[in-house]
Amino acid sequence: MRIDGSCHCGNITFTAEVDPADVFICHCTDCQSLSGSAYRVVVLAPSETFQMNGEPKSYIKTAESGRARIQTFCPDCGSPFYSCDPGEGPKVYGIRLGTVRQRDQLKPRSQYWCQSAQNWTTNLRELPQFESEA
């Protein structure tokens, strides 16, 4: 599936080819902090299909597990774009679903780091729902 997206301010855009089966939720504490939310939703894209217009900022974050990951974001609005392994060679980009225009078509298929999940995320349907801001 071909996807495209941008940061919140629109200064950086991207396109990629993804498999809709490669969408997941991550509950790790790094994803909670980096997303400013209870979890992050990610879709995977191989480097050969990923193209970005603009220059994101990046840094390397070493997780509790010891795994180093490059984290990228818009230098103007701060929208997170993707993470990937550092170093040379082909990469798999973990694109942040909130920046993808077709995000309504990409349903998560699995969840990881569930031991870090906030207990209230297990059944959001119990909460009152409104069509727009109350």
Side-chain angles (χ1 to χ4, degrees), residues 27-68:
H27 293 281
C28 79
T29 55
D30 281 344
C31 281
Q32 290 176 29
S33 294
L34 291 167
S35 69
S37 187
Y39 53 84
R40 184 188 308 259
V41 185
V42 175
V43 61
L44 300 178
S47 59
E48 58 270 10
T49 73
F50 182 80
Q51 299 216 343
M52 183 168 263
N53 298 308
E55 287 297 319
K57 295 217 34 116
S58 65
Y59 68 97
I60 295 177
K61 169 67 171 98
T62 302
E64 202 175 299
S65 67
R67 184 177 181 193

Side-chain angles (χ1 to χ4, degrees), residues 56-60 70-73 82:
K57 295 217 34 116
S58 65
Y59 68 97
I60 295 177
I70 296 172
Q71 304 289 330
T72 62
F73 58 94
Y82 65 83

